[in-house]
Amino acid sequence: MKIADIDLGPRPLMLAPMEDVTDPSFRLICKEMGADMVTTEFVSSDALIRNIAATTRKLEISPAERPAAIQIYGRDVESMVEAAKIVEEANPDVLDLNFGCPVKKVAGKGGGAGLLRDIPKMLEITRAIVNTVKIPVTVKTRLGWDHDSRIIVTLAEQLQDCGIQALAVHGRTRSQMYTGHADWEMIAKVKENPRLTIPVIGNGDIATPQAALEAFTKYGVDGVMVGRASIGAPWIFREMRAAVDGTTMEPLTNAEKLAIIRRQIHESVGRIDEYRGILHIRRHLAASPLFKGIPNFRDTRIAMLRASTLEELEAILADVASRCLDIG
């Protein structure tokens, strides 16, 4: 699969953009685990053009994680175009436009999936950015605003006509948020449209290696984007890669997985500071399947998620390792 001249190889696995999740450390680990392309956290166009420090830091991409995309969101043409110019100067491989975020603070203000209620503006933004920057532009969106407006097949053609180089489709409407099941039959209809020539990337409910394989073999997408299943488990890309390629791969041990979690903790602290770095990593700790199924783990889990220093957190993880994971 190619995005413009960027060759991602056959059946690429891609890390979805996730706010407070896809920081530089996590992206790099996912890349090492087998992700073929990664994407930054959401970048607000308004905050970017106001030069907000926390936002501009999101533009930092290391050579080791490439190819990488920077994703921006906004609700008006002017700010999105200005933000696109700033992003291009940061030299990502791809500029991605977020027309799919369903959360109220984004979609409710007309950005992200909110633009599914104003298709002319979405297309105007897309066309203006494509005509402004020289790097490849892609789009991530949803099936439609709600069940009665699942317009994605037609919308995909319209976005292609604007000049985008690939389209990622989350198989839910905005109204669904993250509930129910992703409709992969609708994603398949987008891919089956003979008038569509750009790559179609499927997203939604890809939580197992088998689901990743089925996305390619049953629904025919060009690429698969993995989101929530990777939180606290970046090794999911390694497992999916083996399934998609039909190869046998020795599974990581619990010790190796815990070492990855510890690496994330230390890199998060090193990138920000101890207090905020630990706050940031709690989402990964809470979601990680490494700790699921451990008997009588409730009190330890609470302590782990309340730890406020690196020393305290390391002591808890060492205890978990010795008591519960048989990894010493």
Side-chain angles (χ1 to χ4, degrees):
M1 175 189 137
K2 283 188 174 183
I3 298 177
D5 294 329
I6 303 166
D7 192 346
L8 300 178
R11 295 182 171 182
L13 300 170
M14 310 164 82
L15 175 64
M18 292 177 282
E19 184 65 13
D20 294 326
V21 174
T22 53
D23 60 66
S25 171
F26 185 66
R27 297 196 305 263
L28 181 55
I29 292 171
C30 288
K31 180 74 175 178
E32 293 170 358
M33 290 290 110
D36 296 290
M37 186 170 182
V38 298
T39 309
T40 64
E41 301 172 76
F42 312 153
V43 175
S44 163
S45 59
D46 291 334
L48 192 56
I49 61 180
R50 294 202 309 271
N51 199 31
I52 303 298
T55 300
T56 58
R57 281 197 297 268
K58 293 181 180 181
L59 304 184
E60 298 171 4
I61 295 173
S62 70
E65 65 182 280
R66 292 182 182 275
I70 293 175
Q71 188 190 75
I72 61 173
Y73 71 89
R75 60 184 177 181
D76 64 81
V77 179
E78 292 76 14
S79 64
M80 286 287 280
V81 168
E82 287 306 308
K85 292 177 183 177
I86 296 169
V87 167
E88 185 171 37
E89 291 177 3
N91 194 33
D93 299 283
V94 169
L95 168 59
D96 189 58
L97 307 182
N98 179 336
F99 299 146
C101 180
V103 299
K104 187 175 181 179
K105 69 177 183 178
V106 175
K109 295 179 179 178
L115 284 161
L116 287 165
R117 293 194 292 184
D118 192 346
I119 300 304
K121 181 182 281 189
M122 179 194 291
L123 299 178
E124 184 183 3
I125 289 171
T126 305
R127 192 177 300 110
I129 290 175
V130 168
N131 291 336
T132 298
V133 302
K134 294 182 173 59
I135 56 177
V137 177
T138 60
V139 163
K140 186 172 188 288
T141 190
R142 290 182 167 233
L143 304 181
W145 178 257
D146 56 27
H147 182 79
D148 296 326
S149 60
R150 292 180 295 169
I151 57 172
I152 188 60
V153 174
T154 300
L155 178 59
E157 285 188 50
Q158 293 173 306
L159 290 166
Q160 176 178 261
D161 291 343
C162 290
I164 68 169
Q165 299 293 322
L167 174 67
V169 180
H170 183 105
R172 289 182 174 87
T173 63
R174 189 275 172 178
S175 296
Q176 283 181 274
M177 301 292 285
Y178 295 103
T179 63
H181 299 289
D183 187 345
W184 277 81
E185 296 293 343
M186 282 292 293
I187 296 175
K189 287 181 181 178
V190 177
K191 177 57 188 172
E192 291 164 1
N193 182 355
R195 292 183 291 277
L196 203 70
T197 59
I198 59 174
V200 174
I201 302 154
N203 174 234
D205 297 345
I206 301 297
T208 65
Q210 183 59 33
L213 177 60
E214 270 199 4
F216 291 110
T217 58
K218 184 176 180 180
Y219 300 106
V221 293
D222 299 292
V224 166
M225 188 168 279
V226 182
R228 287 174 291 167
S230 68
I231 303 175
W235 51 81
I236 193 71
F237 284 102
R238 189 176 187 270
E239 297 167 0
M240 288 180 175
R241 186 78 269 159
V244 168
D245 292 347
T247 58
T248 301
M249 190 175 293
E250 190 71 22
L252 293 181
T253 64
N254 285 335
E256 290 170 321
K257 291 177 179 178
L258 186 60
I260 291 170
I261 294 293
R262 281 176 164 151
R263 172 182 167 186
Q264 282 187 254
I265 294 168
H266 282 269
E267 291 183 356
S268 180
V269 167
R271 183 174 61 90
I272 314 173
D273 57 47
E274 184 173 44
Y275 178 73
R276 291 182 300 158
I278 289 174
L279 283 180
H280 172 76
I281 211 67
R282 282 178 182 170
R283 185 171 180 182
H284 293 270
L285 293 172
S288 182
L290 182 62
F291 306 114
K292 287 181 169 59
I294 296 176
N296 305 312
F297 191 68
R298 182 176 179 275
D299 289 345
T300 303
R301 173 186 170 85
I302 292 172
M304 181 173 67
L305 297 180
R306 286 179 175 173
S308 58
T309 68
L310 190 57
E311 182 180 8
E312 184 182 1
L313 188 52
E314 278 286 9
I316 293 169
L317 293 176
D319 180 61
V320 170
S322 62
R323 289 190 303 108
C324 309
L325 299 178
D326 299 321
I327 54 182

